[in-house]
Structures are given as C-alpha cells and as structure tokens.
Amino acid sequence: ITVMLISSGGSHDFIKEYTDIESFQKATAASSVMIARAAMWNPSIFRKEGLLPLKEVMQDYIKYVLRYDNHYTNTKYCLCQMLREQLETTQGKKLHAAQSTQEICEAFEMADFYEETTTIFEAKKTSLETETQDEDDEMEDPGVIKMAVRFDKREYPPQITPKMYLLEWCRKEKHPQPVYETVQRPLDRLFCSVVKVAEQKYRSTLWDKSKKLAEQAAAIVCLRTLGVPEGKLCEGENHLINKRKREDQERLNNREHGEDLVEPSHKKANFIEENSDMNVPKM
C-alpha cells in the first residue's frame, strides 16, 4: 500500500529560500511539503529566482491590500509577522500604532500611492453608483408610490410586522391580499420590493440586505400612504396583539373542552410571509 506523506512542522528552521524546499522534502522522504511560518515571513520564498527584499515584498503586499480593500487589522497582522525582529524600529512602532490602512501606508512611505488608489476607487464607485441609479430608473414605474423608509424591528412589538397590519387591513376592506414583487441587484446583492394593493403599487427607494426587510419596507410605504397604523410601539395600543391574545385564550379554552379553533389570521399572515421568500429574480 502506498501512503502519501506531507511534511509539516518545523520547516522554518531549514527552509530559507525556494531551493531548500526540495532539499527538505528529500530529507523527510515526504511526498510534499507544507510551509506556513516561512511563507508568512516572506511569501517570495516560493520564487524560483530567489527571495525578494522584504521591503519590496511588503510594499507589493500593501498594493494588493489597497486593490482588494483588505481590512486594516488583517493587513497589520500580516505585516507585523513579516517585520518580526524589526518591530522595535521606528517603522515597526508606526505599524504597531496604525489604526487604518492609510496610517499603515504612511508607515511604509506609501502615502502617495494610497491617495492615488483611493482617488481611482472613488471614481469607480461614483461610476458604479451612477450605473446603479440608471438600473433603478429602468425599473421605475411612474405609477409606483415611493418613500425612503426602512423596517426596524426594534420599533415594533415581537412578532408584529407592517406586513401583518397590511394584510389585516386588506381583509377588513375586502381587498385581495397584498402581492409582493422583489428583485435583487447583482452589483451589491441588495433587495427592493414592490407591493401591490388595490391596483396601486408601493415601494421604498432604499434597498435592503434581505428580501424580508425589503417587503416590510414596501408595506410601510403603503400603510403610511393610506394613513393606516403600521403597528409601531409609539402608536400606543396594538390591536393585533390584543387580537392574538384573545385568539390564544379562546384556543386554550377550547382545548380544555376538547375542541379546536380554526387557525387564527395571524398564523396565516406568518405563513404568507414565509412563503414570499421564494423565487427572487435578479435584475
């Protein structure tokens, strides 16, 4: 039986450059070699032509950091590992004190590169935002009523949502139940929902991180336009909560008498909300 062995652990004591990798493999009679610390201290150890100066390696690393928007804490950790014994130098102390990517760049005399890269990225961001706005304009329907609102569950009682209030209102007014159409924007993967109630459409102009939040926001726009309570804590007595308490009490009383009630309306509302999360089209 052939067993594949991977040599791992302690390689940093023997591997100082690329040519040492093969020597270490032969010495351990392993099929391959895993390199961690030696690679972390100087990634150019995988360069066949030989190691690059550490300063050049760190500057190249910082360029990648800026291009791919790496978080500064991770960047700081990796650079500290590269510096090691040089952490007590002036540059090392600046790196250790850095609290942002910009300060890290300043510690490595790359402030100009930071400014240039940031300017380029800001220009690209503006361009993307313009494209996004164009996409929003394409999906605009002049008949849709819009507001800039978001759903914050902290402003509502537990398990009570604007969607439930809107469903309850539609039942009371003999309207068909609300219909939600939700799309996801590929650029940032955010969601926007349009709710149709009594042949009128409503939506929030703000995009949300989930389909549920986008639908709740659309429901809020509809309720506020109609002047209907949306269930917020600041609105005072919540009739849906009272209704649920009554239904739960009735359910309890009937169970004690061996009877079952028809599923309460709030359960139906929850069921509708859960099923509305399916099949979200992308723009």
Side-chain angles (χ1 to χ4, degrees):
I1 300 175
T2 301
V3 179
M4 304 295 289
L5 296 176
I6 300 175
S7 178
S8 174
S11 62
H12 67 286
D13 293 327
F14 306 96
I15 300 176
K16 308 298 181 183
E17 56 185 5
Y18 181 82
T19 54
D20 295 331
I21 298 176
E22 185 177 357
S23 300
F24 185 75
Q25 180 184 1
K26 290 179 179 179
T28 57
S31 305
S32 56
V33 178
M34 292 181 68
I35 304 172
R37 281 171 287 180
M40 182 168 58
W41 293 338
N42 191 331
S44 68
I45 197 169
F46 297 108
R47 189 171 179 269
K48 293 182 179 181
E49 296 80 8
L51 290 172
L52 292 171
L54 188 59
K55 180 179 179 181
E56 183 179 340
V57 171
M58 290 190 292
Q59 287 180 336
D60 285 343
Y61 171 70
I62 292 173
K63 290 177 181 178
Y64 281 111
V65 163
L66 291 172
R67 288 179 187 139
Y68 296 100
D69 195 25
N70 193 44
H71 196 277
Y72 90 90
T73 55
N74 178 265
T75 302
K76 181 177 176 178
Y77 173 81
C78 292
L79 290 171
C80 284
Q81 294 301 313
M82 294 182 197
L83 277 180
R84 290 192 295 161
E85 66 273 5
Q86 299 180 45
L87 281 174
E88 293 305 315
T89 64
T90 301
Q91 184 180 57
K93 291 178 179 179
K94 287 183 178 180
L95 172 62
H96 193 267
Q99 295 297 312
S100 66
T101 299
Q102 181 176 2
E103 291 180 5
I104 291 174
C105 290
E106 291 171 355
F108 286 86
E109 301 177 349
M110 297 180 66
D112 290 342
F113 183 80
Y114 174 84
E115 293 297 334
E116 293 171 5
T117 306
T118 302
T119 300
I120 293 172
F121 281 173
E122 285 298 322
K124 288 183 177 180
K125 181 181 178 181
T126 301
S127 176
L128 287 173
E129 288 176 347
T130 301
E131 291 178 11
T132 300
Q133 185 59 51
D134 291 342
E135 290 178 355
D136 290 351
D137 292 341
E138 288 177 6
M139 69 167 287
E140 285 299 332
D141 183 335
V144 178
I145 295 176
K146 300 179 288 294
M147 291 183 193
V149 298
R150 278 202 172 94
F151 170 70
D152 186 345
K153 64 180 182 181
R154 295 172 297 183
E155 298 178 351
Y156 298 83
Q159 300 179 336
I160 298 296
T161 66
K163 286 183 66 176
M164 294 172 64
Y165 259 79
L166 183 57
L167 179 61
E168 196 76 12
W169 181 84
C170 287
R171 287 173 174 168
K172 180 181 178 182
E173 298 296 323
K174 309 299 183 184
H175 293 306
Q177 71 179 39
V179 177
Y180 295 86
E181 295 180 4
T182 307
V183 295
Q184 185 180 28
R185 193 164 57 189
L187 177 64
D188 50 19
R189 303 183 66 80
L190 295 179
F191 295 84
C192 179
S193 184
V194 176
V195 61
K196 184 177 180 180
V197 176
E199 301 304 318
Q200 177 62 57
K201 295 181 179 180
Y202 307 83
R203 62 159 286 202
S204 172
T205 57
L206 305 179
W207 292 66
D208 274 296
K209 61 183 179 181
S210 76
K211 181 175 182 289
K212 286 184 177 181
L213 291 175
E215 290 180 348
Q216 296 292 359
I220 292 173
V221 174
C222 179
L223 290 166
R224 291 184 183 179
T225 302
L226 296 172
V228 178
E230 59 193 73
K232 295 180 73 172
L233 291 168
C234 62
E235 292 178 352
E237 185 177 359
N238 192 308
H239 75 274
L240 268 185
I241 289 182
N242 294 332
K243 180 180 178 182
R244 292 185 66 169
K245 288 180 179 178
R246 290 195 303 270
E247 289 172 343
D248 290 342
Q249 187 60 49
E250 290 173 5
R251 198 174 179 83
L252 180 61
N253 293 338
N254 279 273
R255 281 179 177 173
E256 290 176 353
H257 292 83
E259 300 175 7
D260 264 331
L261 278 179
V262 179
E263 187 179 30
S265 61
H266 71 270
K267 292 292 184 182
K268 295 179 181 177
N270 285 339
F271 178 78
I272 292 170
E273 288 193 37
E274 290 169 3
N275 280 303
S276 66
D277 286 340
M278 301 170 61
N279 304 322
V280 180
K282 294 184 178 181
M283 292 177 58

